[in-house]
């Protein structure tokens, strides 16, 4: 018999984001084994059974394991970390810093002891500060710990702009960079549609570009105000990242990565820049052209995060 390649994914934190991600992964047949890790075993039992009822319709049938014990994550290839308090109406992501840093310090080290070769994808907010803390706490090689960062922000911007221009979002090549939060910014100088710089594209002007970015930045607040939390968009983005890792895709994405080496003179913090993602994690960062104003925005984002971390730790 041919040996089937295994790809084991563990979701740590099985709230709305974690479970929607699990569902999205199963719908695409990505993991060969899916581990759901949480402290509430009774809820996990219900979630597992509900997911298993979809087995006749998934592309493949993985093993689903539920556990409250870190040692059961042995052999995991990818840890998707969603544990922590969720953003509530009126809160910014940075308001969650102290609570979610404390949770991360308790949960992650025992898990990595059981699964020392795993990649760690941080999703819980504030994702940039949790990513940087996890990198320092776990002492893993650079690139093994990274955050979902502005992947969703970028998708939101491309979607919002596509609606105005009647284009497919894939045809819009633009990144939201910096903090996954209020100090993010559009890297407009490097943005193109069909090879045409964003600033020169027909039907576009600076007022509309600024409007679309504002809609993007405020999207999460609007969703949270309407339904309490966001989870469909981020779960879809996470399954996209997971598939890229499994397939060793060398895909370029804006992810939150610890900047150990200077990136436009920014370092010693995690924030989102374009990176290459493959089976080993983040392979490298890509230094795209940024205008002076955009470089200032990058520094502002970094300083905002550093100040919050300093005040919290």
């Amino acid at each position: 018999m041919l040996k089937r390649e295994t790809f084991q994914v563990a979701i740590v934190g099985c709230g709305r984001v974690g479970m929607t991600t699990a569902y999205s992964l199963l719908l695409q047949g990505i993991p060969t084994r899916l581990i759901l890790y949480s402290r509430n075993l009774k809820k996990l039992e219900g979630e597992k059974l509900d997911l298993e009822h979809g087995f006749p319709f998934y592309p493949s049938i993985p093993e689903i394991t539920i556990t409250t014990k870190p040692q059961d994550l042995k052999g995991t290839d990818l840890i998707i970390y969603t544990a922590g308090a969720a953003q509530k109406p009126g809160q910014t992501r940075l308001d969650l810093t102290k609570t979610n840093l404390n949770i991360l310090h308790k949960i992650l080290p025992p898990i990595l002891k059981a699964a020392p070769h795993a990649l760690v994808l941080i999703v819980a907010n504030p994702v940039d500060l949790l990513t940087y803390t996890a990198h320092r706490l776990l002492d893993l090689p650079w690139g093994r710990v990274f955050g979902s960062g502005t992947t969703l922000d970028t998708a939101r911007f491309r979607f919002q702009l596509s609606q105005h221009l009647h284009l497919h979002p894939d045809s819009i090549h633009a990144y939201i960079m910096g903090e996954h939060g209020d100090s993010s910014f559009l890297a407009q100088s490097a943005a193109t549609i069909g090879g045409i710089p964003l600033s020169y594209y027909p039907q576009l002007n600076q007022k509309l570009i600024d409007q679309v970015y504002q809609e993007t930045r405020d999207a999460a607040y609007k969703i949270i105000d309407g339904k309490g939390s966001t989870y469909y968009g981020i779960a879809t983005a996470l399954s996209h990242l997971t598939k890229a890792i499994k397939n060793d895709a060398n895909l370029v994405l804006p992810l939150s990565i610890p900047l150990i080496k200077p990136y436009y003179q920014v370092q010693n913090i995690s924030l989102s820049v374009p990176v290459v993602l493959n089976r080993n994690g983040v392979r490298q960062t890509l230094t795209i052209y940024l205008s002076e104003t955009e470089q200032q925005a990058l520094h502002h984002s970094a300083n905002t995060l550093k100040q919050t971390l300093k005040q919290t730790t």
Side-chain angles (χ1 to χ4, degrees):
M1 293 179 63
L2 292 174
K3 182 180 178 182
R4 184 180 69 169
E5 182 189 14
T6 61
F7 186 64
Q8 182 169 304
V9 178
I11 296 178
V12 175
C14 294
R16 290 175 176 173
V17 171
M19 291 314 305
T20 310
T21 300
Y23 184 51
S24 182
L25 293 176
L26 292 174
L27 284 175
Q28 297 181 63
I30 295 174
T32 57
R33 185 185 182 206
L34 180 64
I35 302 174
L36 305 177
Y37 176 92
S38 178
R39 60 185 179 182
N40 188 338
L41 188 59
K42 184 176 181 179
K43 180 177 184 294
L44 286 179
E45 289 170 348
E47 297 285 13
K48 179 175 185 279
L49 187 59
D50 199 8
L51 291 173
E52 287 175 336
H53 289 167
F55 272 9
F57 313 109
Y58 300 147
S60 60
I61 299 179
E63 176 186 353
I64 299 179
T65 301
I66 59 172
T67 185
T68 61
K69 301 175 182 178
Q71 58 266 33
D72 290 337
L73 275 68
K74 182 179 179 180
T76 294
D77 295 294
L78 173 66
I79 294 166
I80 301 177
Y81 182 88
T82 71
Q87 191 177 350
K88 297 177 181 178
Q91 282 188 316
T92 69
R93 296 174 182 91
L94 293 180
D95 290 335
L96 306 173
T97 302
K98 187 172 183 179
T99 298
N100 285 351
L101 281 178
N102 288 337
I103 294 171
L104 182 143
H105 273 272
K106 293 177 183 177
I107 292 178
L108 265 186
I111 289 174
L112 261 292
K113 186 177 180 180
H117 303 296
L119 302 180
V120 181
L121 170 53
I122 302 292
V123 184
N125 282 313
V127 65
D128 303 292
L129 297 183
L130 266 61
T131 299
Y132 188 64
T133 300
H135 168 75
R136 293 195 300 175
L137 178 67
L138 301 174
D139 195 30
L140 293 173
W142 184 88
R144 289 264 305 277
V145 179
F146 49 94
S148 53
T150 58
T151 301
L152 180 56
D153 308 71
T154 295
R156 285 170 173 160
F157 178 81
R158 293 178 180 182
F159 163 73
Q160 296 286 163
L161 189 58
S162 74
Q163 296 296 290
H164 287 280
L165 300 180
H166 305 289
L167 293 172
H168 194 285
D170 279 353
S171 298
I172 298 170
H173 301 282
Y175 296 118
I176 302 297
M177 294 175 58
E179 177 200 358
H180 174 53
D182 292 343
S183 70
S184 67
F185 66 96
L186 169 65
Q188 185 172 329
S189 298
T192 63
I193 300 174
I196 302 172
L198 211 60
S199 302
Y200 295 96
Y201 192 82
Q203 309 167 52
L204 266 183
N205 55 54
Q206 194 58 50
K207 182 179 180 181
L208 179 57
I209 294 170
D210 292 342
Q211 176 190 326
V212 171
Y213 167 69
Q214 197 71 35
E215 291 170 354
T216 299
R217 196 185 70 176
D218 296 341
Y221 295 118
K222 185 175 182 180
I223 294 169
I224 290 168
D225 184 59
K227 56 178 276 187
S229 60
T230 72
Y231 39 93
Y232 295 134
I234 186 59
T236 308
L238 293 174
S239 62
H240 183 67
L241 299 181
T242 303
K243 190 174 182 179
I245 293 167
K246 179 183 179 181
N247 293 341
D248 199 26
N250 289 298
L251 193 63
V252 177
L253 296 154
L255 296 177
S256 185
I257 187 72
L259 297 178
I260 306 307
K261 296 179 181 179
Y263 188 98
Y264 280 104
Q265 288 77 54
V266 170
Q267 64 183 132
N268 299 325
I269 196 65
S270 289
L271 43 70
S272 286
V273 301
V275 305
V276 180
L277 182 68
N278 62 24
R279 188 67 182 255
N280 296 314
V282 172
R283 190 185 82 194
Q284 67 185 98
T285 60
L286 299 179
T287 305
I288 65 172
Y289 175 76
L290 296 178
S291 68
E292 288 291 333
T293 301
E294 290 160 357
Q295 291 180 45
Q296 291 172 10
L298 184 72
H299 281 264
H300 171 66
S301 208
N303 290 336
T304 298
L305 290 166
K306 286 181 178 181
Q307 188 64 29
T308 302
L309 192 60
K310 184 178 179 181
Q311 292 172 351
T312 308
T313 56

